[in-house]
């Protein structure tokens, strides 16, 4: 058993942690400390037992005639320890995820990921020049962005196997909206929208496209427009007041929300009935405009993130009731925590948001005050703003994914932790076998596997399926 545990343990240390781990080298692979301690313990016990038997036989003068049997017993003893050693190793290490498949590296070497979707067992990764659909075992389809245009924005979600993208030439408004059938990789339709004069560039705070209730919804300088998701027949338009401009849209199954910026009236949230396009209610965002950057995080409940500028600034998440009343104000920096920025701009068309809104909670990775490493995940009530639970995570949290069953948290060493969204309890710890160091990734649950989607797929695989 000692031999087996030594071989497996030191091999794991080399392959999963580069040969060293500890306080100043990063966390050790799961269960490896116990494996190596037991390996030394079994080794010393085995050698001690062998020495004792050898000494006893020697004292009785039986060693010369028993030497062959002693060697046979030693060999049999070693072989008999192989299977128990493997069982003990697996028990101490716990459950692991294995890499099942990885996509080939991106080429040319200067392209970057722009966003991603999941639909059933299909992962779609967008680049500025193409969209690629992956199954759990390989590439399903590839769709090129025509000509020299670039994919500049995409819907946050998909519905009924359809997602929205838009593309334009560099420096031009993002005006061509395309509905993609994710099952085939082909476009269902495309239309021209009146896009903002703001040229394609770094990621914006607000989404410009959304899908919900069989609708494709997108912003234009004059307001909001809804068309059929599969037929693109126009359903309704909702104009904003003169001097106002849409600044983002979000959608849920039964509600559409639009963020509106007005020159003289500040920032407002306008909530729309997706069936008729009629306004349900509107509410002022309680910030100090115009020196504020506001992102619309969710449509029901309506949740926004506001970052003010100036000497007396607030960086806060604000939630609204179904009647348009402010319910909670959750500061990004509290007495015992700091949240990350609302969006990570290396995903340009669909920025990854580390903040999750679900079940009446705002869930976010947090760090201790003054620390850079986000070593916990915390949940805050969107009704009261109080912290509901907080769970420590072994490692630096890089992303949090909301799934049907709960939450999945990934660290920079690619340790996946499944959490209960109700109380934050860790229901499973699932490290990925091998040595990993990830950043700028999106994590998606795909059937019974996980897709690790890299922003920069030129040095690491753009998509890795583990399970």
């Amino acid at each position: 058993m000692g031999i087996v545990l030594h071989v497996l343990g030191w091999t794991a240390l080399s392959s999963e942690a580069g040969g060293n781990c500890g306080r100043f080298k990063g966390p050790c692979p799961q269960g490896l400390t116990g494996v190596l301690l037991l390996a030394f313990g079994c080794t010393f016990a085995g050698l001690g037992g062998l020495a004792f038997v050898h000494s006893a036989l020697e004292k009785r003068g039986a060693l010369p005639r028993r030497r062959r049997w002693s060697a046979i017993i030693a060999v049999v003893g070693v072989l008999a320890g192989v299977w128990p050693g493997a069982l003990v190793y697996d028990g101490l290490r716990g459950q692991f995820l294995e890499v099942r498949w990885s996509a080939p590296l991106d080429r040319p070497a200067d392209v970057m990921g722009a966003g991603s979707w999941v639909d059933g067992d299909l992962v779609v990764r967008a680049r500025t020049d193409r969209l690629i659909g992956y199954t759990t075992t390989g590439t399903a389809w590839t769709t090129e962005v025509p000509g020299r245009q670039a994919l500049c924005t995409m819907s946050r979600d998909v519905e009924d196997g359809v997602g929205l993208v838009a593309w334009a030439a560099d420096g031009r408004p993002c005006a061509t909206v395309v509905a993609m059938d994710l099952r085939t990789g082909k476009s269902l339709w495309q239309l021209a929208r009146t896009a903002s004069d703001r040229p394609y560039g770094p990621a914006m705070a607000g989404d410009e496209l959304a899908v919900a209730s069989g609708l494709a919804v997108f912003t234009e300088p004059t307001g909001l427009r809804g068309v059929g998701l599969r037929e693109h027949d126009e359903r309704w338009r909702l104009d904003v007041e003169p001097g106002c401009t849409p600044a983002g849209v979000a959608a849920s199954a039964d509600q559409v929300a639009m963020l509106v910026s007005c020159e003289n009236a500040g920032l407002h949230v306008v909530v729309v009935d997706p069936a008729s396009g009629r306004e349900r209610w509107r509410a002022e965002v309680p910030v100090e405009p115009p020196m504020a950057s506001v992102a619309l995080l969710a449509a029901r409940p309506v949740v926004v993130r506001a970052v003010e500028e100036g000497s007396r600034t607030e960086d806060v998440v604000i939630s609204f009731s179904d009647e348009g009343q402010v319910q909670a104000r959750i500061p990004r920096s509290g007495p015992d925590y700091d949240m990350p920025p609302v969006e990570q701009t290396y995903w340009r068309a669909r920025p990854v948001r580390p903040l999750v809104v679900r079940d009446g909670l705002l869930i976010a990775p947090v760090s201790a005050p003054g620390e850079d490493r986000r070593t916990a995940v915390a949940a805050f009530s969107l009704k009261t703003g109080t912290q509901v639970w907080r769970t420590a995570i072994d490692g630096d949290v890089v992303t949090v994914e909301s799934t049907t069953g709960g939450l999945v948290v990934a660290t920079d060493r690619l340790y996946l932790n499944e959490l209960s969204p109700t109380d934050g309890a860790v229901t499973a710890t699932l490290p990925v076998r091998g040595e990993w160091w990830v950043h700028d990734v999106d994590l998606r649950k795909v059937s019974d596997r996980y897709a690790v989607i890299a922003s920069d797929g030129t040095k690491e695989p753009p998509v890795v399926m583990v399970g």
Side-chain angles (χ1 to χ4, degrees):
M1 285 181 64
I3 292 171
V4 170
L5 294 176
H6 271 296
V7 171
L8 296 178
W10 293 109
T11 300
L13 182 65
S14 175
S15 64
E16 297 176 27
N20 52 56
C21 64
R23 181 177 180 184
F24 301 106
K25 300 292 185 179
C28 291
Q30 175 177 284
L32 193 58
T33 301
V35 168
L36 295 179
L37 288 176
L38 189 58
F40 282 107
C42 288
T43 301
F44 293 144
L47 290 176
L50 189 62
F52 176 80
V53 171
H54 183 89
S55 177
L57 291 175
E58 191 173 41
K59 287 181 179 180
R60 294 174 58 185
L63 188 60
R65 63 177 182 275
R66 301 290 187 186
R67 189 182 303 275
R68 179 180 299 175
W69 284 105
S70 298
I72 292 174
I73 291 171
V75 171
V76 171
V78 168
L79 295 177
V82 171
W83 184 55
L87 291 179
V88 169
Y89 175 83
D90 289 338
L92 290 173
R93 293 302 309 276
Q95 185 178 359
F96 271 83
L97 299 178
E98 303 283 355
V99 174
R100 304 299 180 182
W101 176 82
S102 59
L105 296 179
D106 276 341
R107 287 295 179 266
D110 56 352
V111 298
M112 295 292 289
S116 67
W117 290 320
V118 166
D119 182 54
D121 62 353
L122 184 75
V123 175
V124 178
R125 181 176 181 269
R127 305 183 345 184
T128 52
D129 62 340
R130 69 184 60 166
L131 294 99
I132 306 174
Y134 302 99
T135 66
T136 55
T137 56
T139 302
W141 50 260
T142 300
T143 298
E144 301 286 339
V145 176
R148 297 296 296 273
Q149 300 189 85
L151 190 148
C152 42
T153 189
M154 58 194 293
S155 59
R156 188 152 296 274
D157 301 304
V158 299
E159 183 181 283
D160 191 27
V162 180
L164 300 179
V165 298
W167 51 58
D170 283 332
R172 303 292 298 173
C174 197
T176 303
V177 179
V178 182
M180 299 294 302
D181 185 343
L182 304 189
R183 298 180 180 93
T184 63
K186 297 180 180 179
S187 65
L188 294 173
W189 52 261
Q190 70 178 49
L191 57 80
R193 68 164 179 156
T194 305
S196 169
D197 291 335
R198 181 173 52 188
Y200 166 51
M204 310 302 181
D207 295 335
E208 299 179 59
L209 311 173
V211 296
S213 304
L215 281 177
V217 184
F218 48 87
T219 58
E220 294 184 319
T222 57
L224 198 61
R225 185 176 170 191
V227 302
L229 185 58
R230 285 194 168 272
E231 301 81 12
H232 79 285
D233 54 315
E234 182 150 330
R235 304 288 179 84
W236 47 259
R237 290 175 182 259
L238 181 66
D239 293 334
V240 296
E241 294 82 358
C244 298
T245 305
V249 63
S252 66
D254 59 352
Q255 190 158 279
V256 175
M258 174 174 57
L259 185 67
V260 179
S261 175
C262 299
E263 295 176 359
N264 301 318
L267 292 159
H268 290 79
V269 173
V270 178
V271 172
V272 181
D273 176 12
S276 64
R278 294 177 180 173
E279 180 180 320
R280 287 179 175 170
W281 54 263
R282 67 172 54 208
E284 182 181 359
V285 180
V287 293
E288 292 293 334
M291 299 175 64
S293 173
V294 179
L296 186 58
L297 303 184
R300 189 163 200 158
V302 174
V303 181
V304 300
R305 168 75 176 280
V307 183
E308 299 178 346
E309 299 178 6
S311 59
R312 296 291 301 275
T313 63
E314 277 197 309
D315 189 342
V316 63
V317 175
I318 304 170
S319 65
F320 295 83
S321 69
D322 286 340
E323 294 75 35
Q325 303 298 316
V326 173
Q327 290 193 125
R329 296 175 65 93
I330 305 169
R332 178 188 167 195
S333 179
D336 59 348
Y337 70 87
D338 287 323
M339 292 185 199
V342 65
E343 289 177 340
Q344 302 172 4
T345 56
Y346 39 78
W347 295 97
R348 300 181 72 179
R350 182 192 179 276
V352 174
R353 287 176 175 163
L355 309 183
V356 172
V357 175
R358 66 171 290 168
D359 302 333
L361 299 173
L362 174 74
I363 302 168
V366 295
S367 60
E371 298 289 335
D372 293 329
R373 288 169 55 85
R374 300 178 186 114
T375 55
V377 176
F380 302 85
S381 170
L382 290 172
K383 291 185 177 180
T384 64
T386 58
Q387 189 173 130
V388 178
W389 52 258
R390 180 169 176 163
T391 300
I393 302 295
D394 185 12
D396 188 2
V397 177
V398 294
T399 187
V400 179
E401 166 73 355
S402 177
T403 68
T404 303
L407 300 168
V408 182
V409 177
T411 70
D412 55 353
R413 296 280 185 174
L414 211 51
Y415 276 51
L416 307 186
N417 298 269
E418 293 188 349
L419 272 61
S420 165
T422 305
D423 56 8
V426 178
T427 57
T429 301
L430 306 168
V432 179
R433 196 181 297 277
E435 184 179 3
W436 296 91
W437 184 268
V438 299
H439 60 93
D440 301 359
V441 297
D442 199 3
L443 176 70
R444 298 302 194 103
K445 185 73 178 286
V446 187
S447 299
D448 59 343
R449 297 185 179 181
Y450 299 93
V452 183
I453 308 167
S455 171
D456 185 351
T458 63
K459 299 180 177 63
E460 301 292 339
V463 177
V464 177
M465 291 286 184
V466 299

